[in-house]
Amino acid sequence: MNYEEYSPYTLAMAQLTADTIRQIVLIADANDKDRDSALESFADVFGKIAANYRLEKYDPDGPVAHVGAKN
């Protein structure tokens, strides 16, 4: 794979995805859960959040992003 063909945005999103999957695997392993099931559960929850909510306020120095329901 030639990484020079991808934009910095695409590479950053790919790294975020890889980091998230790694965390899901670590959490699943620590709780004796199936990795695939844990990833599927996360995808279901994230899909519902993305479909039903929008980002209202984000402070990069704060611990939480505030979301609101889509109308």
Side-chain angles (χ1 to χ4, degrees):
M1 175 180 251
N2 186 356
Y3 292 104
E4 294 172 0
E5 297 175 9
Y6 298 97
S7 72
Y9 173 82
T10 299
L11 293 173
M13 294 303 284
Q15 185 62 55
L16 176 61
T17 301
D19 292 344
T20 301
I21 291 171
R22 179 177 178 275
Q23 290 297 316
I24 292 167
V25 167
L26 291 173
I27 291 167
D29 289 351
N31 291 281
D32 295 322
K33 302 291 183 184
D34 178 68
R35 291 175 172 184
D36 291 336
S37 296
L39 185 57
E40 289 172 10
S41 295
F42 177 81
D44 288 343
V45 169
F46 190 78
K48 290 176 184 173
I49 291 169
N52 297 309
Y53 295 92
R54 61 180 160 55
L55 187 62
E56 288 187 346
K57 184 171 92 174
Y58 174 69
D59 176 1
D61 296 321
V64 178
H66 298 276
V67 296
K70 288 183 181 177
N71 293 337

